[in-house]
Amino acid sequence: MGYDASDIECIGLTNQRETLITWDSLTGSPLYPAIVWSDARTIETVGQLSRKTKKGVNVLKDVCGLPLTTYFSAIKLRWLLDNIPVVSQAQAENRLCMGTVDTWLIYNLTGGLDHGGVIVTDVTNASRTMLMDIKSLNWSSEAIEFFKFEQVLLPRIVSSSEIYGDIYEGSLKGVPIAGCLGDQQAALVGQKCFQVGDAKNTYGTGCFMLFNTGNKMIQSDHGLLTTVAYKFGDREVAYALEGSVAVAGSSINWLRDNLGVIADTAELNALASSVKNTAGVYFVTAFAGLFAPYWRSDARGTICGITHYTKLEHICRALLEAVCYQSRAILEAMNKDAQSPLRSLKVDGGMSNSDLCMQIQADILGIQVERPLMRESTALGSAIAAGFAVGIWKSFDELSKVNQEDKSHFVPSISTERRNKMCTGWEQAVKRSFGWANVGSAIITHDENLTL
């Protein structure tokens, strides 16, 4: 690209949120494989914890802004302590460290155990653990006591834009790590959603919509999450409402890898484009339950409306529509909470590369969808955070021309009547996906060794 390592003034880091890593403070080595954000093995843990109090899954919502669900880091750690002896033993001996991916990366990049690696997490990642007080931005003693994490070693909470430490070795030795944001907050920053009411939707493995609420923390009454949007140095913290879809791009991988019916994303788009509609087929891609605004851990993947006429092309189109319907449900919840209808939605991420998918999204939302030419908004957001920390930029206004060229706009092309009819069918399909993973159910949802 014509650049040298010496041209790099700082590094920004963005990471998969909620994913949990545990390691031994004495050896610096991991204790157990990371448990990723979408892992649903903790469903029984959620049930056990929710039964401890009359508030159920909302027991800590006033503290951290989040409900008890398989999604968040604290649930994963509780599961590890209950099921993995090496982890519970480390806690008993005061050597259990835990962190999200940002903590693990910064710790090792700045030297790790042998060279004084820095153990920190930024406020956006900390806000996804269920352990941070979302008002004070400090670890919550109430949450720690609830989960029984008193002997767990937690990282220090820092802002999203400051110098955490320097790269210890390699070609970038000495370059400061100066920005850190969870991937979805990084995309919000990368899309320059700095004003109250700005919103973006990222279509990756999952799908994540964030709505900037400024310095006002809004507790959702419609199934959304209250989260930290970003905090740049000593500046005031910004909050957001978030709606998360567990399965987006990963559903394409399922069609390709599990069923073997498509070779790649290009083939999916070609098949889906070859039909004008799904012929009444709805595909609820609840492979790991449904997130916002439904919050149904017991839901599982369901295809409704199949007839003798149904072809692979219809299922491929229904898969694309599934992400768009779930995004609409989130947007409707945001409009109710914010009491200000969104008129345009900024999009990015892998699935946004599909013109067909983005047109379907505009049709189902009934508003304009705006897509930048450079769609790696998470990387851009982390770079912006790092740049602010070392003085490359000093105000958000200086970013006005960044990634502005050659945007694409998708506008609704179907009638309100047709849109409402399609969405009514979707909600009926969603209801039929409920109940397949009840803890007490006899339904088998994975391979088991059965004896007769």
Side-chain angles (χ1 to χ4, degrees):
M1 295 176 67
Y3 294 100
D4 188 80
S6 61
D7 296 321
I8 299 174
E9 295 186 38
C10 56
I11 292 172
L13 185 149
T14 183
N15 61 283
Q16 193 179 82
R17 308 171 303 168
E18 298 96 16
T19 295
L20 178 73
I21 299 172
T22 54
W23 70 96
D24 191 323
S25 66
L26 300 182
T27 67
S29 299
L31 293 167
Y32 191 78
I35 300 182
V36 300
W37 63 272
S38 58
D39 194 308
R41 79 182 78 175
T42 56
I43 186 171
E44 291 189 28
T45 302
V46 172
Q48 293 165 2
L49 292 170
S50 64
R51 289 190 291 271
K52 289 174 60 175
T53 169
K54 292 181 179 179
K55 291 185 178 180
V57 296
N58 292 320
V59 60
L60 293 174
K61 194 171 183 181
D62 291 339
V63 174
C64 63
L66 310 173
L68 295 173
T69 180
T70 59
Y71 191 7
F72 304 113
S73 311
I75 303 292
K76 303 177 193 304
L77 182 56
R78 185 65 261 165
W79 183 90
L80 283 170
L81 290 169
D82 292 339
N83 293 276
I84 308 300
V86 68
V87 178
S88 56
Q89 183 179 352
Q91 182 192 29
E93 297 174 0
N94 297 304
R95 52 185 177 82
L96 173 58
C97 292
M98 68 82 76
T100 41
V101 176
D102 60 313
T103 300
W104 179 248
L105 290 177
I106 293 173
Y107 172 54
N108 285 283
L109 288 171
T110 56
L113 178 69
D114 297 331
H115 304 286
V118 179
I119 302 179
V120 296
T121 186
D122 96 293
V123 289
T124 66
N125 280 291
S127 73
R128 313 297 292 187
T129 63
M130 294 199 76
L131 299 177
M132 189 186 80
D133 186 315
I134 200 167
K135 304 179 189 72
S136 70
L137 307 184
N138 295 314
W139 296 122
S140 163
S141 57
E142 180 181 346
I144 290 169
E145 181 180 355
F146 176 80
F147 287 107
K148 301 188 185 304
F149 291 168
E150 287 85 357
Q151 293 170 277
V152 177
L153 304 175
L154 299 172
R156 177 168 57 91
I157 299 175
V158 294
S159 80
S160 310
S161 178
E162 61 181 86
I163 296 175
Y164 314 116
D166 296 343
I167 298 289
Y168 177 74
E169 60 186 354
S171 60
L172 298 178
K173 181 179 179 179
V175 178
I177 303 174
C180 179
L181 291 151
D183 52 4
Q184 301 312 317
Q185 283 89 340
L188 189 77
V189 171
Q191 288 273 22
K192 296 176 289 182
C193 295
F194 298 124
Q195 301 300 316
V196 176
D198 286 348
K200 70 88 196 177
N201 202 20
T202 297
Y203 304 78
T205 304
C207 184
F208 305 88
M209 191 183 298
L210 269 72
F211 181 99
N212 189 331
T213 62
N215 58 17
K216 184 179 180 183
M217 186 182 65
I218 296 177
Q219 287 285 9
S220 174
D221 294 322
H222 301 93
L224 302 179
L225 306 174
T226 303
T227 196
V228 174
Y230 52 83
K231 186 180 189 303
F232 279 23
D234 295 330
R235 298 180 185 217
E236 197 170 27
V237 64
Y239 292 99
L241 285 172
E242 176 174 337
S244 308
V245 176
V247 175
S250 59
S251 60
I252 301 174
N253 297 343
W254 179 81
L255 272 186
R256 182 193 65 199
D257 301 334
N258 291 37
L259 297 191
V261 293
I262 60 169
D264 50 33
T265 302
E267 184 178 2
L268 171 81
N269 274 291
L271 291 167
S273 299
S274 68
V275 291
K276 294 182 179 180
N277 54 58
T278 67
V281 173
Y282 291 90
F283 189 171
V284 183
T285 53
F287 299 152
L290 289 170
F291 287 176
Y294 308 103
W295 295 112
R296 294 292 299 251
S297 297
D298 63 332
R300 286 296 179 266
T302 306
I303 302 179
C304 300
I306 293 176
T307 68
H308 284 296
Y309 176 71
T310 302
K311 299 186 294 185
L312 176 61
E313 288 84 344
H314 298 122
I315 293 175
C316 288
R317 191 177 183 99
L319 184 146
L320 294 180
E321 288 190 358
V323 180
C324 300
Y325 282 124
Q326 290 177 84
S327 295
R328 174 189 165 97
I330 291 169
L331 184 63
E332 288 180 332
M334 285 183 174
N335 287 340
K336 291 173 183 175
D337 282 325
Q339 298 180 343
S340 177
L342 198 66
R343 300 300 180 190
S344 180
L345 181 66
K346 298 177 180 180
V347 299
D348 54 63
M351 286 187 75
S352 72
N353 292 325
S354 167
D355 287 357
L356 173 63
C357 187
M358 292 302 96
Q359 184 57 57
I360 292 172
Q361 186 67 91
D363 288 342
I364 288 175
L365 292 180
I367 63 173
Q368 175 179 274
V369 169
E370 178 184 303
R371 185 183 66 188
L373 178 63
M374 198 288 291
R375 293 155 208 163
E376 296 299 333
S377 299
T378 53
L380 178 58
S382 63
I384 288 171
F388 267 86
V390 300
I392 294 174
W393 300 288
K394 294 181 174 61
S395 73
F396 293 143
D397 292 338
E398 295 177 44
L399 300 168
S400 60
K401 295 183 180 180
V402 173
N403 203 25
Q404 285 294 104
E405 295 181 358
D406 298 322
K407 289 186 175 181
S408 300
H409 296 89
F410 301 87
V411 297
S413 61
I414 64 174
S415 67
T416 301
E417 181 181 5
R418 182 182 172 193
R419 180 180 304 115
N420 291 340
K421 184 177 180 180
M422 291 168 63
C423 292
T424 298
W426 167 257
E427 291 301 328
Q428 291 297 315
V430 166
K431 292 176 182 177
R432 286 160 172 79
S433 74
F434 295 164
W436 289 97
N438 281 325
V439 173
S441 174
I443 297 172
I444 299 169
T445 58
H446 57 280
D447 289 337
E448 294 180 353
N449 293 321
L450 301 179
T451 56
L452 298 178

